[in-house]
Every structure is written in structure tokens, then in C-alpha cells.
């Protein structure tokens, strides 16, 4: 089925560890996005990629890096995890005014 | 800059009744889109309905309708004949041509449908 695949679904990290969240889409969309969701805060944009080869900061980029590997894949890296990065992370893809399609989310806990 | 405001942190409705979830927005874009998403307790984000800024009629999708009042910058979601399965978090979001098509979300409204 067409959609967005995120891995892993759950992760526990120790403070200072690094990890990469993977996202792949098979909808042939140019734009891909990483959001984080925290209680009472809605979804906030971390980084986005409007097309292959380009990335831009969103609302809350500090502590994260991204790579748009190709049109299908957009990864999010935490170089040195902090407890404040405990959150649920969503990858999404969309084009023009079509509604986004979201991945199933990654629940990350940093202890 | 775009901003979405959802002023109802939580709402309760009786099964089979209608409910309106409020959403106001702010943008300087002339062309934009408004969206509602549902997030059940399982966590996935489910697209419900879309309204374009130039659409003259309110969008409808089954039991969902969007009450779009452009002059008031409001885009309220109306759910008719509520069902127990409608209990979820609901997010209003917008996307403007001037923002590189990024979606900006409100903080959400938690709807509880009582039997």
C-alpha cells in the first residue's frame, strides 16, 4: 500500500546517545517533513525538505539534523539526545494543497 | 507567519448528537488550505477534510463538514451524529502558498463521546 514508513516505532535512549529516525515514502511526493508532538503543544515542524537535495529548518530545529537521501527517504538524526527530546516523532509527505500523509510515528524516550 | 488557534482543550458530546470544534487561523497568504486531522488513542494521524481558501462552498465528507467563514478567519469542524469511535484528538491545520506548503497545526481538541 502507498504511504509513509517510519522506523523504529519505539526507542529508548540514554542522554548523550545518538540515533537516526528513518522515513521512506512511495507516493512520489517532492516534499517531506519531520514533526514532533508533545502533550498540549500540537505538532511542531522540526525540518522539512521541499524537494530532493534541499532541506530547511522548521519551528524547532535545535538538536536535530536531517538528510534527504533521495526522493523517497528523509532521515532525522539526534546527535546527542537530551531528555527534552522525549516526544513522538512523525514523518509526513505532501504536495501542493493535498493533505499530508503521515507515518505511524516513533515514540522516543530519552532517560 | 501562520497561526492556528483551537480554544477548546476538551469537549464532551452525547452519542448521536452533533458537535462543533472551533478553529481560527491567521495568515497573510491569499491562497491557503485548511485541514482537519483526527488522532485516535492509537496515535495515527487521519486526514478528515480539506477547505481551500477560494472554495465558495463548505467542504463535506460524510458526517464531517467544515464551517468556513473567511471574513472571520474561522474553520470549524462539525461532526454530525457522533459515534463512540469519534472519541479522539482533533487537530486543525493550515498550509499556505507563501510558507512553502508547510502545515501549521493548532494544539488540538480532545473530543469524548459519551454513550
Amino acid at each position: 500500500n502507498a504511504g509513509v514508513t517510519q522506523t523504529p516505532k519505539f526507542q529508548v535512549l540514554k542522554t548523550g546517545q545518538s540515533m537516526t529516525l528513518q522515513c521512506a515514502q512511495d507516493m512520489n511526493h517532492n516534499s517531506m517533513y519531520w514533526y514532533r508532538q508533545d502533550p498540549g503543544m500540537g505538532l511542531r515542524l522540526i525540518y522539512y525538505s521541499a524537494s530532493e537535495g534541499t532541506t530547511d529548518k522548521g519551528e524547532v530545529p535545535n538538536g536535530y539534523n536531517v538528510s534527504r537521501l533521495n526522493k523517497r527517504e528523509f532521515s532525522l538524526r539526534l546527535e546527542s539526545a537530551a531528555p527534552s527530546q522525549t516526544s513522538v516523532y512523525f514523518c509526513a509527505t505532501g504536495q501542493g494543497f493535498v493533505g499530508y500523509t503521515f507515518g505511524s510515528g516513533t515514540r522516543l524516550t530519552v532517560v | 507567519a501562520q497561526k492556528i488557534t483551537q480554544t477548546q482543550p476538551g469537549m464532551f458530546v452525547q452519542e448521536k448528537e452533533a458537535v462543533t470544534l472551533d478553529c481560527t487561523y491567521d495568515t497573510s497568504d491569499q491562497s491557503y488550505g485548511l485541514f482537519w486531522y483526527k488522532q485516535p488513542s492509537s496515535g495515527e494521524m487521519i486526514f478528515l477534510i480539506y477547505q481551500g481558501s477560494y472554495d465558495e462552498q463548505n467542504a463535506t465528507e460524510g458526517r464531517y463538514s467544515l464551517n468556513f467563514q473567511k471574513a472571520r478567519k474561522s474553520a470549524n469542524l462539525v461532526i454530525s451524529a457522533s459515534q463512540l469511535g469519534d472519541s479522539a484528538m482533533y487537530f486543525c491545520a493550515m498550509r499556505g502558498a507563501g510558507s512553502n506548503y508547510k502545515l501549521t497545526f493548532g494544539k488540538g481538541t480532545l473530543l469524548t463521546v459519551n454513550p
Side-chain angles (χ1 to χ4, degrees):
Chain A
N1 291 338
V4 179
T5 302
Q6 267 184 256
T7 56
K9 292 190 183 302
F10 300 93
Q11 185 73 49
V12 179
L13 289 179
K14 294 183 178 179
T15 297
Q17 287 185 320
S18 63
M19 77 163 296
T20 300
L21 282 65
Q22 306 286 354
C23 176
Q25 54 106 355
D26 57 8
M27 306 183 75
N28 201 35
H29 286 166
N30 289 321
S31 301
M32 297 185 73
Y33 307 84
W34 277 104
Y35 285 86
R36 62 178 287 173
Q37 182 180 16
D38 302 293
M41 299 297 292
L43 279 77
R44 294 180 293 169
L45 184 65
I46 305 171
Y47 269 93
Y48 68 100
S49 172
S51 62
E52 185 179 353
T54 68
T55 61
D56 284 287
K57 295 178 180 179
E59 182 184 355
V60 287
N62 291 344
Y64 305 96
N65 287 302
V66 290
S67 296
R68 183 73 183 268
L69 304 171
N70 48 55
K71 191 171 186 178
R72 291 188 65 247
E73 298 173 287
F74 188 37
S75 62
L76 178 72
R77 182 161 178 84
L78 286 69
E79 290 290 351
S80 179
S84 61
Q85 294 178 304
T86 294
S87 188
V88 179
Y89 292 85
F90 286 98
C91 177
T93 184
Q95 198 148 283
F97 285 118
V98 175
Y100 282 21
T101 298
F102 284 83
S104 57
T106 297
R107 189 171 294 274
L108 174 67
T109 302
V110 183
V111 298
Chain B
Q2 300 176 140
K3 185 177 181 180
I4 294 284
T5 302
Q6 294 180 254
T7 57
Q8 307 154 314
M11 288 281 286
F12 293 88
V13 66
Q14 289 297 123
E15 193 177 9
K16 301 181 184 178
E17 292 185 349
V19 63
T20 297
L21 306 183
D22 294 340
C23 173
T24 58
Y25 62 92
D26 191 23
T27 182
S28 56
D29 290 333
Q30 296 300 309
S31 178
Y32 52 87
L34 295 154
F35 303 81
W36 279 92
Y37 284 84
K38 173 183 179 181
Q39 186 179 44
S41 58
S42 53
E44 70 267 33
M45 294 291 289
I46 302 169
F47 167 71
L48 293 178
I49 196 167
Y50 163 79
Q51 177 84 41
S53 58
Y54 292 116
D55 294 341
E56 294 185 354
Q57 291 192 327
N58 288 340
T60 60
E61 290 286 348
R63 294 185 299 109
Y64 304 108
S65 61
L66 198 153
N67 184 359
F68 181 47
Q69 297 187 45
K70 194 171 183 177
R72 297 181 61 186
K73 294 190 174 180
S74 73
N76 298 339
L77 177 71
V78 181
I79 305 174
S80 63
S82 297
Q83 302 172 356
L84 296 179
D86 294 333
S87 293
M89 183 71 81
Y90 289 81
F91 292 99
C92 180
M94 75 174 297
R95 194 175 195 187
S99 66
N100 212 356
Y101 297 103
K102 302 187 297 292
L103 262 184
T104 299
F105 286 84
K107 295 183 177 181
T109 296
L110 181 62
L111 177 66
T112 302
V113 180
N114 294 318

